[in-house]
Amino acid sequence: MEYKALNTIAYDHLRQMIYNCEFEFGKIYSETKLATELSVSRTPMRDALNRLAQERYIDILPNRGFALHSPTQADIDEAYHIRLMIETYCAENVAAEYPGSRSADTVRRMEEALQQQHRLLENDGEYSIGQFWQDDLLFHKSLLEHLSILSLIQQYESIMYIFMPHHLIRLSGFREKDAQVFGRHRSTLTEHAEIIRALKSGDRGAVRSAVRLHIDSSLQALLSSREQA
């Protein structure tokens, strides 16, 4: 059995709660209450929260608790450029090696993530905005894993979080804007499929264009939602 320190267990649990949209923007949460709920002492809980704050998932409010971090324009600009550089570089490498076995395996994992996203949108009963995002994260992380850039993956997840779909609905209930969110998700499926086609073609120019189109579209959707909020 894999051993995990209590602070790591707390960190993993809290991050999963964030991914599942169990925290609300603008609400302050109690460190002590969560520590009790997770059956851990305040020390590992505080370590977990400090780590989440460093990765910009949350903001720690002294003597009050913590709240979800609402991305600033600087956060978004930084995340955009980092994503563009990393994903383009990794995708070009996958395309250059395709249909070699490693590249074929990477593309297969991306296709599986895309198929799962299709299933979620086609079955309302199974739809979860958090699950859709996690499948989206698997799609993009496959590119980094292809080059075994393991040291970047944890940091990359926090960068991707800034583009997490729940930012589209951060100031109102999901059902109030489900048409907007579903519309963006359907566009995501089309853009993901185009990235896969470009990878299989081996055309680096097509790969760069497909990756940039997808990241640009994600950026515009996020900026538009911030203006409407």
Side-chain angles (χ1 to χ4, degrees):
M1 179 182 297
E2 181 184 1
Y3 170 78
K4 284 189 176 182
L6 288 177
N7 56 354
T8 301
I9 292 173
Y11 168 84
D12 289 343
H13 186 86
L14 291 172
R15 193 177 62 162
Q16 192 62 47
M17 290 179 70
I18 292 172
Y19 290 170
N20 290 340
C21 305
E22 295 180 41
F23 294 117
E24 299 176 20
F25 281 95
K27 185 174 180 178
I28 299 174
Y29 294 89
S30 166
E31 170 189 319
T32 303
K33 182 179 179 181
L34 279 169
T36 300
E37 291 175 359
L38 296 182
S39 299
V40 299
S41 66
R42 294 185 64 182
T43 297
M45 176 58 70
R46 190 172 296 114
D47 288 344
L49 292 175
N50 284 333
R51 182 175 171 186
L52 289 167
Q54 290 173 356
E55 295 172 357
R56 290 182 293 186
Y57 287 102
I58 66 170
D59 294 320
I60 294 177
L61 309 173
N63 302 317
R64 298 173 66 194
F66 71 91
L68 287 179
H69 175 68
S70 184
T72 64
Q73 187 61 51
D75 291 333
I76 294 171
D77 290 343
E78 177 183 294
Y80 169 79
H81 290 295
I82 291 175
R83 282 193 65 188
L84 194 58
M85 288 186 290
I86 291 177
E87 293 188 41
T88 299
Y89 176 77
C90 292
E92 285 187 20
N93 276 270
V94 173
E97 297 175 14
Y98 194 84
S101 59
R102 287 183 65 250
S103 287
D105 183 61
T106 295
V107 171
R108 176 188 58 76
R109 285 185 283 118
M110 295 171 75
E111 289 176 325
E112 289 174 353
L114 177 57
Q115 288 167 6
Q116 177 59 19
Q117 289 181 306
H118 271 291
R119 284 192 289 268
L120 286 171
L121 284 188
E122 291 165 1
N123 188 338
D124 290 342
E126 295 182 2
Y127 183 78
S128 160
I129 195 169
Q131 184 58 53
F132 187 93
W133 181 82
Q134 290 190 68
D135 291 326
D136 191 76
L137 183 59
L138 287 174
F139 180 93
H140 291 279
K141 279 174 58 179
S142 295
L143 294 171
L144 277 73
E145 291 167 350
H146 176 79
L147 293 182
S148 300
I149 310 180
L150 302 181
S151 61
L152 277 179
I153 289 178
Q154 194 76 36
Q155 178 185 358
Y156 184 76
E157 289 183 11
S158 65
I159 291 169
M160 282 288 289
Y161 171 72
I162 292 173
F163 283 82
M164 186 176 179
H166 73 214
H167 288 305
L168 296 174
I169 53 169
R170 62 196 181 97
L171 295 180
S172 63
F174 171 62
R175 287 300 166 191
E176 294 177 20
K177 290 189 176 180
D178 56 1
Q180 176 187 358
V181 176
F182 277 124
R184 175 55 202 153
H185 285 180
R186 292 189 184 97
S187 297
T188 293
L189 301 186
T190 300
E191 293 160 14
H192 280 185
E194 185 56 39
I195 290 173
I196 289 173
R197 281 193 292 270
L199 291 172
K200 290 181 174 180
S201 75
D203 184 336
R204 293 191 181 190
V207 167
R208 287 193 296 272
S209 295
V211 170
R212 179 152 201 157
L213 173 64
H214 177 50
I215 296 176
D216 282 353
S217 295
S218 298
L219 175 65
Q220 291 306 311
L222 177 56
L223 295 179
S224 176
S225 69
R226 286 166 64 88
E227 291 175 357
Q228 295 172 21

